[in-house]
Amino acid sequence: MKLADRFPKLGTETAFAVAAETQRHAQQGARVFPFHLGDIDLKTPQNIIEAAYRAMKDGKTGYCSNYGITELRDALAEQINRSHRTSYSGANVAVQPGGKPVIQKFFLSLMNHADEVLIPAPGYPIYESIVAFHGGKPVLYPYREGPEGFGLDLEDLEKRITPATRFLVFNNLQNPTGAEEDERGLAALSELVLRHNLLVLCDEAYFDIRYAGQSGSLVSFPGMEERCLVLYTFSKKYAMTGWRLGAAVGPQDLVDGIAKLNVNDESCSNQFVQYAGLEALTGPQDGARAIVRTLQQRRDRCHELLGAIPDMRCHRPDATFYLFPNVTAVMQRMGFGHYEDFRKAALEATEVYFCTRLHFGTPLAEERERYIRLSYSGIGIDGIEEGLHRLRDFIAGKKA
Ligand SMILES: Cc1ncc(COP(=O)(O)O)c(C=O)c1O
């Protein structure tokens, strides 16, 4: 069947393609070391599971408001106000089936044909896909590697702004690089946003996945609450990726638009899952803390083992559950010119699945360095050790 004319513009999250490949191999009995997907192999905390069960037994199984249940909207506004120095109320929250739908609904609500949108490169591939699909123009801005890790170059970003630029997608605590801006960087970015009258999608999927310091948000700065939409998700912090629960938090007129899209799309988010989300926010936090502790142990071990791989260079971000090692010298020494050749050869030799820079949007013409992304959210310490030893042996030239 011929799909609509606009379909070729729709991209995908190619990490899911790697996941399908992994599943096929696992079904054929192959050992699999899953470093490719941002899914979490840890259990959702028990109190959250029980709250969902209780809600189901209490009959919270029908439709509910397209905005989400009031208790969850209020609790989320309160929680974000505490961590973000904002003044939201429940009216600023539209509950969503996951964080991802916020991306599409933000652009469907605000973007007109040929509007330009600043999108991080490398970055979560869905931004580029959705903007192009709905007739906008993605304009990529780079995250560059420096001695301390990856970061933004605001001067460079500003040069990419034209009279047609209306939107910025900002993913602080960034997938895939782990980059984050400090208070000074955020303040400078907020000034740039005001100078150019931009509207911002603040993707904060990893806001609470951090191992040291404190997460900062663009929305905390003067003038930002009126022009930012925060993407909130329960997926990562509470190991709830498959529950599909998130929210759009921002100016009320935009939230009303998004809630109208909800009616036209999924009607409402799953009601008993929202009660589970309420428990996640207001109940004991030991489960969430344990998840972050486990992830930190994995990060440390991964980083240590990657550091022992010849020619590989890897920073250690304090947030997200990704590492983004530089493999330029590795690929050069091993004679790989193309990412997919390297990824597939590594996979065949080691059964280690990872993503490469190519899974994170269109590369900029100026990019010279090569990177892969390893996620440690779906693999325990034993798998990390064996997988990365195999990867080391492959890269060092020993048979895995
Ligand atoms: C940067 C970023 N934003 C949004 C999402 C969406 O997460 P979810 O839809 O599971 O809440 C992800 C998931 O991996 C992500 O990495």
Side-chain angles (χ1 to χ4, degrees), residues 324-394:
F324 200 60
N326 185 318
V327 293
T328 316
V330 169
M331 285 178 64
Q332 229 161 37
R333 177 171 52 72
M334 296 180 84
F336 289 106
H338 297 287
Y339 273 123
E340 272 301 273
D341 294 342
F342 175 58
R343 187 184 75 79
K344 288 195 168 144
L347 174 62
E348 198 164 306
T350 64
E351 295 170 317
V352 169
Y353 283 82
F354 55 77
C355 290
T356 71
R357 193 284 167 238
L358 293 187
H359 293 91
F360 298 95
T362 309
L364 288 159
E366 72 223 38
E367 284 181 34
R368 294 286 168 271
E369 302 291 295
R370 304 296 187 95
Y371 298 94
I372 59 174
R373 191 202 72 174
L374 296 159
S375 165
Y376 46 85
S377 57
I379 182 164
I381 295 282
D382 288 352
I384 287 172
E385 291 182 341
E386 173 146 12
L388 295 187
H389 283 142
R390 286 185 183 203
L391 194 64
R392 176 201 60 200
D393 290 350
F394 168 69

Side-chain angles (χ1 to χ4, degrees), residues 136-342:
K137 183 175 168 208
V139 176
L140 302 169
Y141 67 88
Y143 270 86
R144 295 214 179 89
E145 189 184 4
E148 304 296 327
F150 290 82
L152 267 184
D153 177 344
L154 286 190
E155 246 175 69
D156 181 297
L157 188 150
E158 195 154 20
K159 281 192 200 133
R160 294 168 198 260
I161 295 177
T162 75
T165 310
R166 285 194 64 219
F167 303 99
L168 167 71
V169 177
F170 181 52
N171 176 209
N172 206 25
L173 319 154
Q174 209 242 2
N175 177 11
T177 63
E180 59 182 311
E181 290 302 300
D182 60 14
E183 285 281 300
R184 256 192 31 213
L186 290 171
L189 183 60
S190 71
E191 284 159 21
L192 180 150
V193 163
L194 287 174
R195 242 182 349 266
H196 296 280
N197 194 23
L198 303 177
L199 301 173
V200 190
L201 174 63
C202 290
D203 183 339
E204 299 193 347
Y206 299 94
F207 191 85
D208 295 300
I209 305 291
R210 67 171 313 123
Y211 315 113
Q214 255 193 328
S215 293
S217 171
L218 188 64
V219 82
S220 309
F221 290 81
M224 291 299 102
E225 216 170 303
E226 297 83 340
R227 50 181 67 241
C228 290
L229 185 73
V230 174
L231 178 159
Y232 181 92
T233 179
F234 290 80
S235 288
K236 317 286 178 178
K237 177 177 183 184
Y238 299 106
M240 290 175 75
T241 51
W243 293 66
R244 310 311 301 139
L245 186 63
V249 184
Q252 199 179 336
D253 45 0
L254 173 55
V255 163
D256 289 343
I258 286 178
K260 197 166 174 186
L261 288 170
N262 292 353
V263 181
N264 281 274
D265 196 346
E266 68 278 358
S267 296
C268 61
S269 293
N270 183 319
Q271 190 180 175
F272 54 81
V273 167
Q274 293 187 56
Y275 282 95
L278 182 62
E279 171 65 22
L281 293 180
T282 57
Q285 296 300 303
D286 329 17
R289 279 196 284 271
I291 290 167
V292 172
R293 269 199 307 277
T294 301
L295 291 173
Q296 181 168 5
Q297 284 158 5
R298 292 179 183 183
R299 178 202 61 170
D300 291 345
R301 192 70 183 121
C302 268
H303 183 259
E304 188 183 350
L305 292 170
L306 289 171
I309 296 182
D311 297 330
M312 199 181 263
R313 183 170 73 230
C314 185
H315 302 282
R316 201 193 66 166
D318 282 329
T320 76
F321 39 59
Y322 304 117
L323 294 170
F324 200 60
N326 185 318
V327 293
T328 316
V330 169
M331 285 178 64
Q332 229 161 37
R333 177 171 52 72
M334 296 180 84
F336 289 106
H338 297 287
Y339 273 123
E340 272 301 273
D341 294 342
F342 175 58

Side-chain angles (χ1 to χ4, degrees), residues 1-44:
M1 193 178 294
K2 186 178 176 307
L3 299 178
D5 292 346
R6 65 180 173 279
F7 239 77
K9 290 199 172 144
L10 188 65
T12 183
E13 189 172 346
T14 41
F16 274 91
V18 181
E21 196 183 18
T22 320
Q23 221 165 23
R24 271 197 310 279
H25 283 206
Q27 274 160 2
Q28 288 157 9
R31 177 102 194 253
V32 158
F33 296 91
F35 288 94
H36 57 287
L37 194 61
D39 204 353
I40 306 181
D41 66 343
L42 303 170
K43 289 211 176 77
T44 304

